[in-house]
Amino acid sequence: MFRLKVHKSRFGAVLAATRNSTTTTTHGNHYQYLQNSKLPTLYFQRSLPRLPIPLLEKSCERFLAAVQPILSAEEHRETQQVVEQFRQGVGMELHAKLKQRDEANKHTSYISEPWFDMYLTDRAPLPLNYNPLLVMRGDPRPEYQPQVTRATNLIISSLRFWRSLQANILEPEVYHMNPKKTDTASYRRWMAIAPKAFATYASYAFKAFPLDMSQYSRLLGTTRIPKLGKDELVQSPHSKHILVMRRGNMYAMNVLDSSGYILSPSVILGRLKSILEQDSQREPASVPLGVLTTSQRNDWAQTRAHFVSNPKNADLLQREVDAALFCLCLDSVEDGLFDETNPVPMLKHQLAGKATNRWFDKSLSLLISADGITAVNFEHSWGDGVAVLRYFNEIYKDMLQQPFVSASTPHTPADGDTSNVRPLNFEIDERTRAAVEAAYAQNASIVESLDMNYLQYKQLNKGTCKRHGLSPDSIIQLAFQLAYRQAFKRYVGTYESCSTSAFRHGRTETMRPCTMATKAFCEAVLQPTQRQPSSGELRAMIDKCSSVHGQLTKEAAMGQGFDRHLFALRHTAQLEGLPQPALFETEAYKRINYNIISTSTLGTDTVVAGSFGPVVKDGLGVGYSIQNDFAGAIVTSYKNQAQGKEFIDSLESAFDQICAIIERSSSAAKAERSN
């Protein structure tokens, strides 16, 4: 999870192909666009199916099944009675109203608006509570790793992605069940002649599943503006500049020309070097305004309203900060360097840190340490991991295949070019200064209280899972359940996100990995050795857990979970001014939505680490992945609230036990076959 370097030998061909890439004509399509898709980017959007509203009966059944392992038998019986009353009574009324509202808004999904409202009305600070962190794999070639070199290539690749999206020539997002057979020119030719209104269904015949791309338009050029009660998203898709932050000082830097073309690599490199040079001659910002974006949202709304009452501040903030395509945070040596033997300080800093060099309200921020370690921190209300991961993968691939500058590339000087590199000099009064100091102290206190632990477990990896016919995700989720049970003697609400982007304006559905199957396995494993089932029986229980997990995953991905449905029914009651139904007051509903274990994974080799904060004060935020040579987890918790270290230690033990069962059952099966 923390190996930021890759072997050079893999990229010999890439190196040979890219040595002369900086000679590319900057106004040619090869430089200006990342892709030139034969199918328009939004080709499938019109024909995507709508997110289904599950049957009320099914959602009630699924809810009862999900809460059973975390309730006593008596609690579960009481919950059954309340659920049945809901199903036959007010639930039917709310379900009918939800269906009616959905029918009147066929352009979107039933969950889209209430999900936006949920994000934008929450008053909690963005760092740790919402903004996640993705750390990018390092460049294997030293000449492309220096901070300013990496930043230049990241900017260019980001702009190439963005311009391809805007020109409708970025490849449509399609999930291919068998990429070797369907991610081909032949598939695209067939899709091009399919009637556009039915293109998605034609793609299904190839076992290729188009995904919703409505979120992509907010990937860049979007800012969350704090408002009292509910924030707003403001878009500036045609901006030509980015926001650059260095030691808390802020700069607007033009990266597109007046016609919207990407400027040449030497010009972008020169402007970045100009910022670094200017900043070296200045003190760090005495009032780092970015810290305000860590505030509780109503506090920040009030501070911002006062701040923009000054016309100069209002103009600079709206024109240069809010409207920037994205934020580039160039951290200094004082912010820390990466240490592979102890990655926690760097990860904590990039996740939330001291925040003097951040603007968390931007839809997307690129963070680059002084030694070139790169991460993405993104504001979550506008979209989910599918869009960010596509962008993340594409720019990493682009930088590897054709970097446009190296450490030895000459640059076009930009000294004194204040029209294209603009230091942002705000007018700071005592009220703003005091607000920044308060926000800094509050964020520093929260970050200081954050504990972070990690595990790399090499005996379990992609190869192990494939060799033994295991589902990687279900095995890791099973290990989480075993780890928590043996460490803390109970089962708790557990959250795993599943994308519903196969549907128009789909967002996510919740998977509930704590099941009666995982509970049965954990109880069996934790029996004294002489009372444990055989290895073969335990392996059968693992397979049962995987089967249940796979079914839940399928249901969630197909819009047949229960969490979003119940959420929407509760939201409908609020919209209609109805009393809160008794179901939502039950201990069962409260307990399963109090996510002690909140988990998330992004399965790609370009992400070497991912992290986010706990979603409840005594919870665990678990970012995990399974790579070619290990399974890894980063666990966040709040000190004196939850025991992250104990969980990580127990997780290692859980992996040991599961792997031992798998090996023993495999050996026994081989011995039986040989006889």
Side-chain angles (χ1 to χ4, degrees):
M1 186 169 281
F2 308 107
R3 291 181 184 173
L4 295 174
K5 298 195 176 183
V6 215
H7 294 298
K8 289 184 183 181
S9 57
R10 291 187 186 178
F11 298 98
V14 171
L15 276 169
T18 60
R19 290 195 194 278
N20 297 319
S21 60
T22 55
T23 63
T24 304
T25 303
T26 57
H27 277 199
N29 286 351
H30 178 70
Y31 177 69
Q32 291 295 321
Y33 300 105
L34 184 73
Q35 295 172 350
N36 185 18
S37 175
K38 301 302 181 185
L39 294 175
T41 304
L42 300 179
Y43 186 74
F44 296 103
Q45 195 69 24
R46 176 185 167 193
S47 61
L48 284 173
R50 301 194 64 220
L51 182 67
I53 298 176
L55 294 174
L56 180 61
E57 293 81 359
K58 286 293 184 183
S59 288
C60 290
E61 289 174 12
R62 290 164 180 150
F63 170 73
L64 286 171
V67 298
Q68 188 174 2
I70 61 174
L71 298 177
S72 68
E74 179 60 28
E75 288 172 329
H76 195 251
R77 281 193 294 272
E78 292 173 358
T79 304
Q80 285 177 311
Q81 295 174 2
V82 177
V83 169
E84 185 60 19
Q85 292 170 359
F86 176 81
R87 186 185 70 80
Q88 294 186 9
V90 68
M92 292 178 65
E93 178 186 354
L94 294 175
H95 184 76
K97 290 182 181 296
L98 178 63
K99 294 275 286 185
Q100 185 179 24
R101 190 181 301 273
D102 184 55
E103 189 66 21
N105 293 277
K106 291 185 176 181
H107 64 287
T108 187
S109 69
Y110 77 89
I111 198 62
S112 183
E113 183 180 349
W115 208 242
F116 269 118
D117 286 346
M118 180 272 293
Y119 272 115
L120 296 175
T121 57
D122 194 340
R123 302 292 81 195
L126 298 185
L128 297 182
N129 296 298
Y130 283 112
N131 287 30
L133 174 75
L134 302 177
V135 182
M136 184 178 287
R137 190 171 294 281
D139 197 300
R141 303 155 297 183
E143 65 269 33
Y144 297 106
Q145 189 64 19
Q147 184 186 51
V148 71
T149 303
R150 197 152 168 82
T152 302
N153 285 319
L154 278 164
I155 290 169
I156 294 170
S157 292
S158 297
L159 296 174
R160 281 157 52 78
F161 180 94
W162 185 240
R163 280 180 51 75
S164 299
L165 176 66
Q166 291 187 310
N168 209 22
I169 57 173
L170 189 73
E171 285 280 349
E173 184 73 3
V174 178
Y175 176 71
H176 294 270
M177 292 290 287
N178 190 338
K180 290 182 179 179
K181 289 186 176 181
T182 59
D183 194 3
T184 62
S186 175
Y187 162 78
R188 289 168 178 78
R189 285 195 296 271
W190 279 107
M191 290 302 100
I193 62 174
K196 199 169 182 180
F198 306 102
T200 295
Y201 297 92
S203 185
Y204 290 167
F206 290 82
K207 294 189 177 180
F209 299 89
L211 303 180
D212 178 76
M213 298 187 73
S214 60
Q215 297 176 8
Y216 283 58
S217 63
R218 297 189 181 96
L219 180 67
L220 302 185
T222 301
T223 298
R224 178 169 172 168
I225 307 296
K227 299 284 185 180
L228 288 175
K230 181 181 177 180
D231 293 353
E232 295 178 1
L233 291 177
V234 173
Q235 290 182 261
S236 307
H238 302 297
S239 288
K240 296 177 173 57
H241 71 279
I242 63 172
L243 174 67
V244 181
M245 300 187 71
R246 173 77 169 180
R247 300 191 305 162
N249 295 315
M250 303 167 72
Y251 305 83
M253 184 182 111
N254 287 354
V255 289
L256 301 175
D257 68 16
S258 59
S259 300
Y261 288 104
I262 305 171
L263 294 165
S264 71
S266 66
V267 168
I268 293 174
L269 176 62
R271 290 177 183 177
L272 282 179
K273 287 193 171 187
S274 170
I275 287 174
L276 294 178
E277 178 60 28
Q278 287 183 58
D279 204 74
S280 69
Q281 299 173 18
R282 302 173 66 181
E283 293 296 321
S286 58
V287 185
L289 293 173
V291 171
L292 294 171
T293 65
T294 70
S295 302
Q296 196 264 6
R297 300 306 289 179
N298 278 348
D299 291 345
W300 174 207
Q302 292 174 325
T303 300
R304 180 178 166 120
H306 166 74
F307 186 70
V308 298
S309 64
N310 178 314
K312 177 184 177 183
N313 290 342
D315 176 61
L316 282 177
L317 194 60
Q318 293 163 11
R319 175 167 49 86
E320 304 286 37
V321 178
D322 298 343
L325 286 171
F326 58 89
C327 181
L328 174 67
C329 303
L330 298 176
D331 288 346
S332 61
V333 173
E334 291 75 18
D335 295 314
L337 302 176
F338 182 76
D339 179 357
E340 192 167 342
T341 64
N342 182 21
V344 167
M346 172 66 77
L347 291 171
K348 281 185 69 173
H349 172 69
Q350 291 188 323
L351 179 60
K354 59 187 181 184
T356 54
N357 205 46
R358 301 287 184 267
W359 197 267
F360 288 108
D361 290 356
K362 289 304 295 181
S363 55
L364 187 138
S365 294
L366 288 171
L367 321 178
I368 309 180
S369 66
D371 51 355
I373 303 304
T374 301
V376 165
N377 189 302
F378 67 97
E379 196 280 312
H380 216 324
S381 68
W382 64 268
D384 304 308
V386 172
V388 175
L389 193 60
R390 169 74 185 276
Y391 159 80
F392 197 91
N393 286 338
E394 295 284 12
I395 65 169
Y396 181 76
K397 178 183 174 183
D398 193 46
M399 287 194 305
L400 282 185
Q401 291 183 346
Q402 49 180 17
F404 288 94
V405 301
S406 70
S408 60
T409 301
H411 66 277
T412 301
D415 301 337
D417 186 1
T418 55
S419 63
N420 288 303
V421 179
R422 302 179 291 279
L424 305 185
N425 297 312
F426 295 96
E427 295 179 352
I428 310 293
D429 62 12
E430 284 306 312
R431 178 173 170 180
T432 300
R433 183 184 297 273
V436 168
E437 290 175 355
Y440 180 89
Q442 178 66 19
N443 184 68
S445 174
I446 293 171
V447 173
E448 174 59 30
S449 72
L450 184 74
D451 195 21
M452 184 180 282
N453 294 274
Y454 71 95
L455 171 67
Q456 283 188 7
Y457 190 83
K458 295 184 179 180
Q459 293 92 314
L460 183 66
N461 51 55
K462 287 182 178 178
T464 308
C465 292
K466 186 174 182 179
R467 190 165 62 252
H468 292 287
L470 301 168
S471 161
D473 191 65
S474 66
I475 285 295
I476 291 185
Q477 288 289 346
L478 177 59
F480 294 157
Q481 294 303 314
L482 178 56
Y484 199 90
R485 168 63 180 84
Q486 69 180 358
F488 308 115
K489 316 302 182 199
R490 63 187 179 126
Y491 300 95
V492 294
T494 307
Y495 179 101
E496 179 181 3
S497 181
C498 179
S499 174
T500 53
S501 59
F503 301 96
R504 191 186 317 156
H505 292 195
R507 295 285 311 235
T508 59
E509 180 56 87
T510 304
M511 277 268 302
R512 296 295 178 180
C514 181
T515 65
M516 292 303 290
T518 62
K519 184 175 184 177
F521 173 81
C522 294
E523 293 304 314
V525 169
L526 295 176
Q527 293 288 323
T529 305
Q530 63 272 21
R531 293 169 55 190
Q532 279 188 11
S534 68
S535 295
E537 290 170 323
L538 288 173
R539 171 59 201 257
M541 295 178 81
I542 289 175
D543 291 341
K544 174 66 174 177
C545 292
S546 294
S547 175
V548 171
H549 188 87
Q551 180 62 28
L552 291 175
T553 302
K554 181 179 178 181
E555 289 175 359
M558 296 308 294
Q560 294 297 323
F562 69 86
D563 274 83
R564 299 299 179 264
H565 187 196
L566 293 185
F567 175 88
L569 294 177
R570 187 180 186 184
H571 184 260
T572 301
Q574 294 169 348
L575 290 177
E576 298 290 333
L578 298 173
Q580 173 123 293
L583 168 62
F584 303 114
E585 299 292 344
T586 61
E587 179 63 24
Y589 188 81
K590 293 176 182 177
R591 198 177 295 177
I592 200 167
N593 284 288
Y594 193 81
N595 296 304
I596 296 286
I597 306 175
S598 183
T599 73
S600 184
T601 185
L602 290 171
T604 172
D605 290 339
T606 61
V607 178
V608 293
S611 187
F612 56 94
V615 299
V616 294
K617 64 180 181 180
D618 53 345
L620 305 168
V622 185
Y624 68 96
S625 68
I626 188 157
Q627 304 279 346
N628 290 327
D629 48 359
F630 63 86
I634 300 173
V635 178
T636 58
S637 58
Y638 290 113
K639 297 172 185 175
N640 303 318
Q641 298 282 350
Q643 293 75 45
K645 180 65 166 62
E646 287 84 344
F647 178 78
I648 277 288
D649 291 342
S650 185
L651 180 60
E652 185 170 17
S653 169
F655 280 144
D656 284 342
Q657 293 173 76
I658 291 171
C659 286
I661 291 167
I662 292 167
E663 291 295 341
R664 288 199 305 268
S665 65
S666 178
S667 297
K670 286 180 182 178
E672 187 175 327
R673 285 195 299 270
S674 65
N675 293 331

